[in-house]
Amino acid sequence: MTHTATRPVAGRINSTAILAIILISYFMILLDNSIIFTGLPSIQSSMGYSATGLSWVQDAYTLVFGGLLLLGARLGDIFGRRRVFVAGLAIFAIASFLVGVASNGWWLIAARALQGVGAAVVAPASLSLLTVSFPPGPERTRAVAWYGAAAGIGASLGLVIGGALADWVSWRAGFFINVPIGIAMIVLAPRFIPETQPSSGRFDVAGAVLATLGMTALVFGVVNSAEAGWTSPITVSTLTAGAILLILLFLNEARAEQPIMPLRLFRSRERSGAYAARMLYLGAMIGFFYFTTQLLQGVMGFSAFQAGIAFFPMTIVNFAVAMLIPRLTPRFGNSAILSVGIAVTLAGMAWLSLVHPGSTYLTAIALPMILIGGGQGLAFAPLTSAGISGVQAEDAGAASGLVNTAHQLGSALGLGILVAVSAGAGSSADDATTALTDHVSTALTAGTALFAACLVIALALIIPATRRRSTTKQFEPEKGSRDGALVDRR
C-alpha cells in the first residue's frame, strides 16, 4: 500500500506559537509524571495503599502511557497529527479531573491509567509535529533543546508544584490545574498548528495490544516480586507471559503490513542505542524522584512543599545547562555531550546513594542533585536527537512514539525493579528512620547501576554510530551542526 508522506498543510506558520503550544502540552503531561511524588504520603494515608500498591499510582500512568504510545503515534500518521493532538489533550484533561475527584484507590488508579491514554496520544504527536515543523539544522536543534529541557524541568517542577498544593490545598489540586491548561491548548492548537496530511493506512491493533499487555505483565511481575518473591507462581507466570508477549510483538511487527513499530527503525545502531539508553536513564531517574522524596519527608522531616523546594538546585542547573545545548552541539557534537551528561548523572546518583541517617541536606542531597541536574540537562536533548536521527517523514510518528515509549516504559520498568530490589532493605534496622534510609540507599545504588549500564550502551552503540555517520559519504551534516542534526541519505 502506498503511503502519503506526512507534511504540514501549506499556510502561514508561526514557529514560536507552535513551539510554545507543543512545549506547554508536553510539559503538562510530564508534570503529572512527578507531581504525584510529593503527595505520595498523603495519598497513601487517604487511600490505604500498601508500599507496593502505592507504586501502582505511578505505574498505572506510565505503563498505559508507554504501552499505547506506538498506537498513539500511528493515529497521528493516519488521521492528522494536529487533530489527534487535540483529541489527546481532551482525554488528558478529563482524566485529570477524574483523578482529582477520586474517592477510592481503584478509582484513582483507573483515572491515572486514563491519563496515560491521553498522554500516549499527545506525546508522540507533539514530537512529530516538532520534527515536521522545524527543518534539520540550528532551528531544529534549538527546538529539540527546548523539548529536552521541558522533559527535565517538568519532572523537577512537578515536585515543587505538587508539594506546595499538597501542603496548602490538597494533593488533588495538582490534577485540577491540568483542566484549564488543557482547555487553553485545545483552543489555541487549531489556530496556530498546521494540520498534517493524513496518510492512507490501517491500525496495527495486534501490535498495540501485545506491546501494552507484554510490558504490563513484565512490570507487574517485577513489582509483585517485592512482596511475594521471585519464585512466587504469580511472579514467574507474569514474567514469563510478559516475555512471550514481547516476543510475539516483534514477530507481529516483522509481518505486519503497516506496523506501529517498524523494525527498520532499529537498523540504525544510533537509534536502537538511544531507545535502550533512554529506558535505562529514565528507569534510574524515576527512582531518584520516587525514593528521594520519601527520604526528605520520612527521614529529614521535610513537609511536602519543602520536599518540592529541595529539588530546586537540580531544577535550576538542569534548565541552565539545557539552554546551552544549542551552543554546545555545533562545537562538541551530540556524542561528547551525551557521554558527559550520562557520566555526570551517574556520579551524582552514586554520591546520593551514600546517604545515611546522620546525613545533612546540603552535602548528601543538594550537592549530588546539582550533578544530577547538570547531567540530565546535557543528556536529554542528545538522546532525543539520536532517537529521531535520519528518519523519513513517513516514519516520524513511529520514531517519535518509540522515543516516548522508551521514556515511559523505562520509567515503569525501572521503578518496578528498584522497588523490588530495595523491598527487603532496612528490615533488620532498629528504628524506622534507619530502615527507610537503608531502603532508599539500596534503591539509589541500584539506580546507579542503571546509569552505568546506560553509559555503556551510549559508548558502545550511539557514539560509534554518530562518528561513523559523520565520516561516511552516505550522510551529510546540515549547516550549523556537527553530528546532532544529520540527514540519512541512504
Side-chain angles (χ1 to χ4, degrees):
M1 184 178 293
T2 303
H3 297 271
T4 303
T6 312
R7 297 185 179 86
V9 173
R12 188 175 181 179
I13 294 177
N14 185 328
S15 59
T16 301
I18 292 173
L19 184 61
I21 293 168
I22 289 173
L23 291 180
I24 291 171
S25 301
Y26 185 56
F27 180 83
M28 179 179 68
I29 64 175
L30 289 177
L31 201 67
D32 271 25
N33 241 346
S34 61
I35 203 170
I36 200 86
F37 289 138
T38 42
L40 284 175
S42 299
I43 293 173
Q44 185 173 22
S45 175
S46 63
M47 297 296 179
Y49 289 120
S50 66
T52 52
L54 186 64
S55 68
W56 281 103
V57 176
Q58 177 66 17
D59 279 343
Y61 178 70
T62 52
L63 267 177
V64 175
F65 188 173
L68 294 181
L69 269 166
L70 297 176
L71 182 60
R74 186 68 181 135
L75 287 171
D77 290 339
I78 294 178
F79 292 113
R81 289 168 188 155
R82 187 186 71 188
R83 185 179 294 110
V84 168
F85 179 73
V86 171
L89 286 171
I91 294 172
F92 191 85
I94 292 169
S96 296
F97 177 80
L98 293 176
V99 172
V101 298
S103 60
N104 57 61
W106 284 109
W107 180 337
L108 174 57
I109 291 175
R112 286 284 284 168
L114 184 60
Q115 273 193 310
V117 175
V121 175
V122 173
S126 64
L127 183 53
S128 55
L129 282 170
L130 184 148
T131 302
V132 298
S133 299
F134 296 89
E139 192 174 3
R140 182 182 290 179
T141 299
R142 283 192 295 271
V144 170
W146 276 101
Y147 191 88
I153 296 167
S156 301
L157 197 57
L159 296 166
V160 179
I161 296 173
L165 293 174
D167 262 3
W168 300 340
V169 186
S170 166
W171 63 264
R172 300 173 186 272
F175 296 93
F176 285 131
I177 63 175
N178 290 332
V179 179
I181 295 174
I183 292 173
M185 294 303 101
I186 289 170
V187 172
L188 292 173
R191 290 189 57 190
F192 293 100
I193 299 180
E195 183 57 282
T196 56
Q197 294 286 0
S199 62
S200 58
R202 64 183 66 177
F203 296 114
D204 177 16
V205 177
V209 171
L210 289 169
T212 304
L213 294 181
M215 285 306 302
T216 300
L218 204 60
V219 173
F220 181 86
V222 172
V223 173
N224 186 73
S225 71
E227 289 186 342
W230 290 102
T231 59
S232 162
I234 294 179
T235 301
V236 173
S237 60
T238 51
L239 289 175
T240 302
I244 292 173
L245 288 169
L246 292 178
I247 291 172
L248 291 175
L249 169 65
F250 279 90
L251 294 176
N252 177 79
E253 298 307 279
R255 297 194 307 267
E257 184 177 353
Q258 295 177 23
I260 60 170
M261 186 180 69
L263 297 184
R264 60 180 173 270
L265 291 175
F266 294 96
R267 293 173 187 165
S268 163
R269 294 179 65 188
E270 181 180 7
R271 289 194 296 266
S272 296
Y275 305 143
R278 198 177 189 95
M279 288 188 71
L280 291 165
Y281 196 96
L282 267 298
M285 282 305 303
I286 205 73
F288 159 72
F289 289 120
Y290 185 85
F291 290 100
T292 304
T293 54
Q294 294 181 49
L295 177 72
L296 289 168
Q297 294 181 64
V299 176
M300 298 192 170
F302 284 34
S303 67
F305 175 62
Q306 289 171 333
I309 292 295
F311 284 87
F312 254 20
M314 173 185 175
T315 305
I316 294 170
V317 173
N318 188 335
F319 180 78
V321 172
M323 290 301 94
L324 292 174
I325 292 296
R327 298 180 183 179
L328 296 176
T329 300
R331 183 175 181 181
F332 298 105
N334 274 351
S335 298
I337 295 172
L338 179 60
S339 303
V340 172
I342 298 174
V344 170
T345 316
L346 168 62
M349 185 70 106
W351 185 353
L352 185 62
S353 70
L354 300 177
V355 66
H356 55 83
S359 297
T360 63
Y361 167 73
L362 176 62
T363 58
I365 297 179
L367 293 179
M369 276 187 181
I370 291 175
L371 292 179
I372 293 172
Q376 189 179 47
L378 290 171
F380 262 27
L383 274 177
T384 301
S385 295
I388 59 176
S389 173
V391 298
Q392 301 301 318
E394 61 269 21
D395 285 333
S400 302
L402 276 172
V403 168
N404 284 290
T405 296
H407 191 113
Q408 298 306 322
L409 292 185
S411 297
L413 188 58
L415 181 57
I417 291 171
L418 299 184
V419 167
V421 168
S422 62
S427 57
S428 60
D430 296 331
D431 58 87
T433 298
T434 302
L436 180 56
T437 306
D438 291 346
H439 178 71
V440 171
S441 177
T442 301
L444 296 178
T445 299
T448 303
L450 293 181
F451 277 131
C454 176
L455 182 59
V456 169
I457 287 177
L459 294 174
L461 295 178
I462 302 175
I463 293 172
T466 55
R467 288 177 177 172
R468 187 179 306 111
R469 184 184 60 184
S470 65
T471 56
T472 179
K473 295 181 180 180
Q474 291 179 315
F475 300 85
E476 298 176 6
E478 291 293 331
K479 183 180 178 181
S481 71
R482 179 174 171 178
D483 67 358
L486 304 178
V487 178
D488 191 337
R489 301 298 186 189
R490 288 181 293 183

